[in-house]
Amino acid sequence: KAGVTQTPRYLIKTRGQQVTLSCSPISGHRSVSWYQQTPGQGLQFLFEYFSETQRNKGNFPGRFSGRQFSNSRSEMNVSTLELGDSALYLCASSRGFRYEQYFGPGTRLTVT
Amino acid sequence: EDQVTQSPEALRLQEGESSSLNCSYTVSGLRGLFWYRQDPGKGPEFLFTLYSAGEEKEKERLKATLTKKESFLHITAPKPEDSATYLCAVQLNTGNQFYFGTGTSLTVIP
């Protein structure tokens, strides 16, 4: 079974630009969560989608948004990039409540 | 406030030297506790899920246990390939959100 895939793997953007990251979950998984990982803060929860609906949201500014498509694929968008947005962005999929999450390899975003 | 704390932050072991990693949590309602392994530059890899106090899970040299306040990941006779960062996460019974600890970086020296 194919794992969670994320594209692109690496991205370099300039402050003020916007970026869109993509995630394809494991086949059959309807829940997709996004996390930001930085050396100082660890894994911080951004949001979770299930069947195209956002069910949970973490404490991030409105510049961070996401969506999920009918095939469970998900995208995350960050507008007006700041230097502090440089991080590894991880996507995780699961079958739903009470099930473990499986992570993709992440997208390394560098904002200059 | 829901909190997950892992200790120690870093651990260096000689090959074959057994030890334990700790994950303590303060949450309003625990649905499950999860252990992950993360190698540099990669996403976390799922290891175990524990749902109730007293539960234990084993996989090769790893054994995870759960109490009402904390979880331990015991590593028996570790090998250099066990070197990684080990993360624990709690899932609350109010939703599908996971709270992660900051991890324990394990180095096993040959």
Side-chain angles (χ1 to χ4, degrees):
Chain A
K1 208 177 205 182
V4 178
T5 58
Q6 292 187 246
T7 56
R9 292 294 312 279
Y10 302 92
L11 208 48
I12 300 176
K13 289 287 188 179
T14 303
R15 193 169 48 183
Q17 289 185 315
Q18 76 165 18
V19 67
T20 299
L21 313 181
S22 181
C23 171
S24 292
I26 292 171
S27 177
H29 286 193
R30 295 165 64 189
S31 170
V32 173
S33 297
W34 288 90
Y35 295 85
Q36 180 194 68
Q37 187 176 34
T38 57
Q41 298 294 319
L43 269 128
Q44 301 284 304
F45 173 75
L46 282 156
F47 29 66
E48 185 235 354
Y49 286 87
F50 185 87
S51 293
E52 302 180 66
T53 300
Q54 186 182 91
R55 288 199 303 195
N56 294 287
K57 190 177 191 309
N59 294 325
F60 278 81
R63 300 185 297 107
F64 292 82
S65 64
R67 59 177 175 169
Q68 186 180 33
F69 302 95
S70 58
N71 61 359
S72 294
R73 192 177 69 83
S74 177
E75 288 183 346
M76 190 191 95
N77 184 274
V78 187
S79 63
T80 319
L81 284 165
E82 301 178 358
L83 296 178
D85 297 333
S86 294
L88 180 67
Y89 289 88
L90 291 160
C91 164
S93 76
S94 75
R95 286 188 280 172
F97 283 130
R98 203 175 166 85
Y99 292 102
E100 65 276 7
Q101 294 185 333
Y102 292 89
F103 284 82
T107 294
R108 172 72 62 184
L109 172 64
T110 302
V111 182
T112 62
Chain B
E1 184 183 326
D2 300 315
Q3 271 195 323
V4 180
T5 304
Q6 291 188 247
S7 62
E9 286 186 17
L11 183 62
R12 289 172 64 89
L13 299 173
Q14 291 290 329
E15 184 172 1
E17 179 187 1
S18 301
S19 188
S20 294
L21 313 183
N22 177 264
C23 172
S24 62
Y25 58 91
T26 307
V27 297
S28 49
L30 180 73
R31 172 176 285 153
L33 186 140
F34 300 76
W35 281 97
Y36 288 84
R37 167 194 170 126
Q38 186 173 25
D39 293 298
K42 296 187 177 181
E45 174 190 346
F46 170 71
L47 293 173
F48 303 110
T49 309
L50 301 165
Y51 289 111
S52 55
E55 190 174 358
E56 299 182 351
K57 293 275 181 73
E58 284 190 70
K59 180 180 179 180
E60 297 180 358
R61 296 176 292 282
L62 300 176
K63 179 180 176 181
T65 62
L66 180 66
T67 73
K68 288 185 178 180
K69 296 288 186 185
E70 57 191 350
S71 177
F72 293 93
L73 184 65
H74 307 277
I75 303 177
T76 302
K79 298 182 177 181
E81 53 262 41
D82 294 323
S83 297
T85 295
Y86 291 85
L87 299 164
C88 76
V90 297
Q91 184 187 36
L92 306 186
N93 56 19
T94 54
N96 201 31
Q97 184 170 341
F98 286 67
Y99 292 91
F100 278 82
T102 51
T104 293
S105 176
L106 174 66
T107 303
V108 182
I109 305 161

